[in-house]
Amino acid sequence: MRAATVLRKDVDVLWPDVVRRAVKLGADREIVGVYPRRSDLPRSLFGDLIGRAGTRLWFGGYTSYFVWLEAAGAPAILGAKADAGADVRFLLGDPASVVTAERERVEATPLTLSTRIAMSRAEIAKSPSALPVRLSDRHIAMSVWIFDDEAVVATHIGAGLGQDSVTLHLRRRGAGGLFDRYTEHFEALWADAAPADRVDLAT
């Protein structure tokens, strides 16, 4: 900075490669953190995100089972936020789908996807206010959780469980970035998903 001042040149003109390495200028500026596994996220992150969010809390995990383990008192908190006007939604996997059954075969774990989905629905039902739940099998390989202008995105790897997914923590910086693309993804899935109560009635 001192050299640039003496030379009366911008730092990014004199040392563009250094600036690019030190400062995020492109699409990656929305990336707060990258984690090889979802289990590498700070344990308090989901609780913090739920606590901070005031307008939008969208849960687009196939089971979102781990949320109840990491965010103490989440059903009551989410219910209160919904009562205060927040848009709270849950997009869960369809336990009756052949896609779910095939993934359960691949994962081969006693705590099946269907069981984890049922456990999430039981936790959601504890909310003092009804929270909308829709079911889909289109997000089996990628989960998206959105809290106001922050998001967590987990991309599933091979036969691993959700906790093994490569995970991004994003924060919106402007229109058309990574955050907006994943928000559009969630909205498209939500629009196409079946309300859980209708599925329950059909079965």
Side-chain angles (χ1 to χ4, degrees), residues 30 43 48 54 60 62 72-73 95-96 103 108 110 122 152 157 160 162 173 177 185 200:
E30 294 195 330
R43 291 285 294 179
D48 292 344
Y62 209 76
R103 183 65 192 182
V152 176
I157 299 295
R173 300 294 187 189
H185 169 74
D200 293 341

Side-chain angles (χ1 to χ4, degrees), residues 89-155:
R89 308 181 193 178
F90 281 88
L91 179 67
L92 298 175
D94 181 356
S97 168
V98 294
V99 173
T100 301
E102 174 59 18
R103 183 65 192 182
E104 288 180 339
R105 185 193 66 79
V106 171
E107 291 186 355
T109 179
L111 192 60
T112 65
L113 285 174
S114 299
T115 300
R116 283 175 271 159
I117 292 167
M119 294 175 80
S120 272
R121 293 193 63 184
E123 290 295 321
I124 294 166
K126 294 177 184 177
S127 166
S129 299
L131 302 176
V133 178
R134 294 189 182 182
L135 304 179
S136 173
D137 63 9
R138 292 178 54 199
H139 59 308
I140 188 74
M142 183 169 65
S143 298
V144 178
W145 299 275
I146 299 169
F147 306 92
D148 288 351
D149 285 344
E150 291 188 71
V152 176
V153 178
T155 304

Side-chain angles (χ1 to χ4, degrees), residues 45-115:
L45 180 62
F46 269 81
D48 292 344
L49 291 172
I50 290 171
R52 287 200 302 265
T55 59
R56 172 172 55 186
L57 299 95
W58 294 354
F59 295 82
Y62 209 76
T63 74
S64 287
Y65 163 73
F66 72 97
V67 171
W68 318 109
L69 304 176
E70 297 188 3
I77 295 169
L78 294 172
K81 287 180 179 287
D83 285 343
D87 181 6
V88 182
R89 308 181 193 178
F90 281 88
L91 179 67
L92 298 175
D94 181 356
S97 168
V98 294
V99 173
T100 301
E102 174 59 18
R103 183 65 192 182
E104 288 180 339
R105 185 193 66 79
V106 171
E107 291 186 355
T109 179
L111 192 60
T112 65
L113 285 174
S114 299
T115 300

Side-chain angles (χ1 to χ4, degrees), residues 7 31 41 43 68 87 95 119 151 154 157 163-164 171 191 203:
L7 295 172
I31 299 175
L41 287 170
R43 291 285 294 179
W68 318 109
D87 181 6
M119 294 175 80
I157 299 295
Q163 65 192 21
D164 300 316
R171 184 174 294 122
T203 56

